Amino acid sequence: ELKDAITDHYESKVKSFMECPLLILDDLGAERETPWAVEQLYRIINHRYAGRMPMVITTNVRGDALDSRIASRLNDVGTELVTVCPMNLPSMREA
């Protein structure tokens, strides 16, 4: 029962990220990469991509360092669904 309640809680959270009006993911690629986390990110990003729902994603990770399924959606600039805005700024962490 507890395991089912936890699963239901996480599934509810994932669905809220899938359906919110605007999703902002800050520092994508900085999360702890577990197979489960990558799958959940893919589910969210793919759902929003397929539904043409707005997202703002920041990252300092090169696209080829991300999961290939996620990277393919974020690099699809030919479809007018994706706009890449490179910002060559110094790291704030090195100050």
Side-chain angles (χ1 to χ4, degrees):
E1 290 181 12
L2 179 59
K3 185 176 181 182
D4 290 339
I6 292 170
T7 300
D8 290 346
H9 173 75
Y10 279 115
E11 192 61 28
S12 172
K13 289 290 185 192
V14 168
K15 286 184 188 266
S16 71
F17 296 136
M18 288 177 167
E19 299 299 333
C20 64
L22 171 64
L23 180 66
I24 300 172
L25 297 175
D26 185 34
D27 213 3
L28 181 68
E31 69 281 350
R32 182 171 164 221
E33 265 193 39
T34 65
W36 183 86
V38 170
E39 184 61 29
Q40 300 316 304
L41 276 170
Y42 170 72
R43 284 180 59 207
I44 293 164
I45 291 170
N46 187 60
H47 175 83
R48 297 186 69 86
Y49 176 85
R52 292 175 156 65
M53 301 170 74
M55 292 182 283
V56 174
I57 299 172
T58 68
T59 186
N60 61 1
V61 175
R62 291 186 8 217
D64 60 357
L66 294 170
D67 177 85
S68 62
R69 300 172 303 163
I70 292 171
S72 71
R73 278 121 185 105
L74 302 184
N75 292 319
D76 197 6
V77 294
T79 64
E80 297 181 7
L81 294 177
V82 176
T83 302
V84 176
C85 302
M87 301 177 75
N88 297 317
L89 302 172
S91 174
M92 303 268 305
R93 294 181 187 101
E94 296 175 5

